[in-house]
Amino acid sequence: MSKDKEKRRIDQLRKLLQHYNHQYYNLSISEVSDFEYDNLLKELIDLELKNPDYSDSSSASVSVGGDSNVEFEKEAHSFPMLSLDNTYSKEELFDFESRNKKLLPEDYQYICELKYDGASISLKYENGILIRALTRGDGTTGDNVTANVKTIKSIPLKLKGTDYPDNFEIRGEIFIPHEGFNEMNRIREENGEPEFANPRNTASGSLKTLNTSIVASRPLDCFLYYIISKNLPSNSHYENMQLAREWGFNVPSIIQKCKDINEVIKFIEYWDIERLNLPYDIDGIVIKIDNLKQQQKLGMTAKSPRWATSFKFKADQVKTKLLSIDYQVGRTGAITPVANLEPVLLAGTTVKRASLHNSDQINLFDIRVNDFVYVEKGGEIIPKIVGVDKDLRTEDSKAVEYIKSCPECGTELVRDEGEAKHYCPNDTGCPPQIKGRIEHFISRKAMNIGAAEATVEALVDKGLIHDIGDLYFLTKEDLLSLERFAEKSASNLIESIEKSKEVPFHKVLFALGIRYVGETVAKTIASELKTIENIKNASLEELIEINEIGERIAASIIDYFKSEIHLKIIDKLKISGVQFEINVDNEQESENKLNNQTFVISGTFEKHSRDELKELIVKYGGKNTGSISAKTNYLLAGENIGPSKLEKVRKLNIPIISEDEFLKMIE
Ligand code: IVH
């Protein structure tokens, strides 16, 4: 690149980054992913280094950005609020290490912390009383949001004990935990209000809301990670933070001392995976030199300290073009719109498709074909679309016309009241529903029949089976007529089908694939009503009387048995010898050993897989849930259990049991 071209590019990058900063800090909008932003910033820094004569103190490479809002009073920070250097590459961490080694001939220690993804805040305490809370602003001055911050329960207004410095600032991140965020969105959805896109933008938006009572209603929380004062009690960052916890601050317990960068990398690698199990968002790891004297020695650049750096996990949100929409028909006939996207790199993988959930979601975001959409990868496998960049909308954008009939069988779709999804009602004639039902029926947790998806597909396509009942009338010859089936594989499958006749009734009930009747519900109904005849003849009222069976489930069961086709299938299964009543001998005694207690499973186990443990819990009358709450009775803990889970159970005083202890309970 010629010098002129380089300078033009510098101008362009400065403008672009300034625009993104304004959008991010003032309007809480992320137009680009962090990854893209950081790449642009890196490019700018490199070019500026090559062109020192073209420096500018207001360049995005020097100033921190800005989150100032006109309506709030601006105040100067007592100490500038710097940002952190960041990297996505482990090589650069070794560079960080070499620089430290060069500048610090003596021993030093790193402290690793999670990089919380929210809005940063600086709290000022005088004589143990919170007197001011400032947003980062441009790093020198910030917005005074004290009234809003005072509504956050985990921020102490008055400190405990007496051994805190008279005067200090403590900094941290205001964020919204997933549970609160989802609940807030659920309520908004119920009230017909637009849902929030993600916890980070909602946290920073909330902080800058002028109505304090609205702020108070938001589930904001705050982690503190950095304390500054002229008279701190210890020379170690780690020690000071532990003391701050005793004064009443919410100091994260996930913090680790590391002796070298290899230990740091282990911490990073662990959390790169485990972060998906955290109850809040993090976007990386922060690495700090522990000793404050050494921190001083290393000093800082205009923008960030040299004694700390951050490793950022790959971007979680990107923007790309929506090319078209496909409609998938699920096992139960539920229609899911799926977006075809211009391929884009997201969190290390190329994304071409993303779920759009349902027609409401499309309308809510006003998503149109050819729009640029934000795609996010959460805990789910399929990424989802979380918003639209309307500024980039062009004339060729086309409003979505949601389909009216099933793309597989042409039947007119229905949408039940209160349901978000459209359904194809042709459950016995729609090919994906037929195949899906059979796949569900034979699955391990249901009848446990060993046939591959491709086998089911071939059997249906060849017309050898039309429903789950037909499986029991298959002959070896039928199977041998399929491609890739030999004598051995054919007899294995026949044997497996034969064996499924011993599968207990509650699993058969689950295997039928009645809408809303999952494993636990099937188990409850089977043990309550004992036989398929009783279930078939039960009234809505009788079903609702059963513990944990609501109207929705009851109505679905009644509906299922109204269908002549379903009754014929059940007859076929009955004739074949499938279990349609509970075996009192086997089941009753084991039934209630766990006495309805709730378990959460975490970690890896020696003797059983997690799925097997879940099955055992249900089999012995317990309940299995995914997340820890006050209702949890036990945490069944294996190896490598996430510290966040441990922290939560300790807080709630929930007993932790090992695999062996659990097996004893059901012995
Ligand atoms: S320390 C001088 N520790 O990341 C450095 N920052 O880009 C003081 N952040 O502005 C910050 N988690 O908003 C620190 N454990 C952590 C953090 C953290 C998140 C944020 C913070 C800061 C930004 C740096």
Side-chain angles (χ1 to χ4, degrees), residues 60 221 387 648 663:
D221 204 338
K648 203 161 177 191
L663 294 175

Side-chain angles (χ1 to χ4, degrees), residues 68-90:
S68 273
N69 193 308
V70 276
E71 274 95 356
F72 286 97
E73 237 180 271
K74 271 178 225 350
E75 281 182 46
H77 289 290
S78 313
F79 308 88
M81 228 171 147
L82 301 170
S83 76
L84 289 171
D85 247 358
N86 63 55
T87 175
Y88 292 86
S89 93
K90 291 180 186 149

Side-chain angles (χ1 to χ4, degrees), residues 83-84 113-116 120 136 173 225-226 286 288 305:
S83 76
L84 289 171
E113 295 168 13
L114 304 183
K115 189 169 189 305
Y116 304 98
S120 45
R136 182 162 64 170
E173 203 81 357
Y225 45 59
Y226 182 38
V286 179
K288 302 173 179 170

Side-chain angles (χ1 to χ4, degrees), residues 61 67 74 275 330 355 361 377 435 442 464 483 511 664:
S61 63
D67 67 357
K74 271 178 225 350
R275 69 185 162 124
S355 170
Q361 189 85 358
K377 202 174 218 175
K435 289 175 193 166
I442 66 172
L464 289 169
E483 250 175 69
K664 272 219 180 87

